[in-house]
Amino acid sequence: MSLHFTKMHGIGNDFVVLDCRTQPFALAPAQIARIGDRHTGVGFDQLLTIEPARDPSCLFYYGIYNADGSMSGQCGNGVRCVAAWLRRAGVLGTGAARLESPSGAVSVELLADGRVRVDMGEPRFAPGDVPLTLPAADPYALTLDGGRIEFGAVSMGNPHAVVEVADVDAAPLAQIGAALSTNSHFPQSCNVGVVQIVERAHVRLRVQERGVGETLACGTGACAAAAVLRRRAQVDATVAVGLPGGRLEIRWQGPGHTLWMTGPAAFVYEGDWE
C-alpha cells in the first residue's frame, strides 16, 4: 500500500492529512495506529481525511481519527489545517467557506495574514450533550483516587472537562486526566484540560486528549476552557489561550452566540507511506 500524505500542525498539534476526495478512505483502526506511531510510523496526534461532503451546503467533509485509531467528533486545530490544505490545493479562496465535520457543519474564514478563523458553534453545557451522567452543576465535583476534583464540563463537538488550577506547569495533568477521562460518568471518555487564569484576557492551558495523551495544543480544549471560564464571568469575551505549542484567540460573547477560534496552520512536509 502506497499512501500519499501531508504532515501539518496547528501550534504543535500535529496531523497526517489524506486526500480522499476521489478515493474512499479505507484504513482500519490498527493501520491508523501503525501510521500514528512516533517510533515506527509517521507520528501524529490525529489523522485527517478530506472527503466529498455529505451535506450539500458544505464544500468538503473531513474525518478525524486519533493516534490509537479511534474516531473523534471535532478538532479545532485540525479544521484550520484542513482549510489551509484546501487553500493550497486551489479549491478554497480567502474569505468564508463551510466545511462538514463528524459533528456537523463548520464555517471557516481564511484571513489575509494566513491564519484561519473558525466558527466552532455554541458550547453545549447540558450534561446529556457532553455527555456526562451527573446532575447539572458548575463546578461538578468527584472524589477520585482519594481526592476531590472540581471541574467544568462542556461539549465543543467532543467532550471536555476543565479544571482550574493555580499553576498550570505544576498541575498533575497525567493524574487528573487519567482519573477524569476514564471515569464512568463520562460514557464516551473526555478530553481533560488544566487552566490557569493569568488575567481576564489571558489564560494558560494544558490538555490531555482521549486516545492521544497530552498534546502541545488542543483547539477544542482551548475553546472549552474559554467557554467554561467565560460562563463564570472570569474572563473577557476575547481571551488569548496560551498552550505549550503556541497561542490561540478565542472569542465568545456568551449563551446564544457561537464561539470563534483564530490561529495558524502550518505545512511540514509531503510523504508516502509504503
Side-chain angles (χ1 to χ4, degrees), residues 75-80 116-120 218-220 222-223 248-251 259-263:
C75 180
N77 290 317
V79 64
R80 296 200 316 276
V116 182
R117 186 169 177 257
V118 184
D119 182 351
M120 297 295 292
C218 177
T220 55
C223 297
L248 296 173
E249 179 185 285
I250 309 298
R251 180 171 179 80
L259 181 150
W260 288 85
M261 172 192 62
T262 303

Side-chain angles (χ1 to χ4, degrees), residues 122-228:
E122 184 172 355
R124 291 178 292 167
F125 292 94
D129 290 336
V130 175
L132 174 64
T133 59
L134 289 172
D138 187 29
Y140 294 93
L142 289 173
T143 300
L144 305 169
D145 296 330
R148 177 184 169 90
I149 297 180
E150 294 187 348
F151 60 94
V154 62
S155 172
M156 292 303 312
N158 53 3
H160 286 269
V162 178
V163 180
E164 186 180 348
V165 297
D167 184 346
V168 72
D169 294 321
L173 176 58
Q175 178 183 346
I176 295 172
L180 278 178
S181 65
T182 60
N183 188 269
S184 61
H185 287 294
F186 287 98
Q188 295 179 13
S189 186
C190 67
N191 304 292
V192 179
V194 289
V195 63
Q196 171 191 347
I197 300 174
V198 179
E199 55 187 6
R200 288 190 60 86
H202 178 207
V203 303
R204 298 180 64 214
L205 176 71
R206 291 167 55 207
V207 180
Q208 179 172 299
E209 296 190 49
R210 55 180 182 169
V212 180
E214 183 173 357
T215 58
L216 290 176
C218 177
T220 55
C223 297
V228 166

Side-chain angles (χ1 to χ4, degrees), residues 41-125:
V42 179
F44 57 76
D45 292 324
Q46 280 86 23
L47 181 146
L48 307 173
T49 63
I50 299 178
E51 307 175 37
R54 284 75 157 164
D55 182 343
S57 72
C58 298
L59 293 177
F60 295 97
Y61 170 89
Y62 60 96
I64 309 164
Y65 300 85
N66 295 316
D68 66 355
S70 62
M71 296 185 68
S72 180
Q74 189 53 281
C75 180
N77 290 317
V79 64
R80 296 200 316 276
C81 287
V82 168
W85 189 98
L86 290 168
R87 171 165 50 187
R88 195 177 73 166
V91 294
L92 206 62
T94 301
R98 189 173 169 90
L99 302 175
E100 183 183 4
S101 77
S103 60
V106 176
S107 294
V108 299
E109 184 177 356
L110 297 166
L111 304 180
D113 62 6
R115 293 184 304 159
V116 182
R117 186 169 177 257
V118 184
D119 182 351
M120 297 295 292
E122 184 172 355
R124 291 178 292 167
F125 292 94

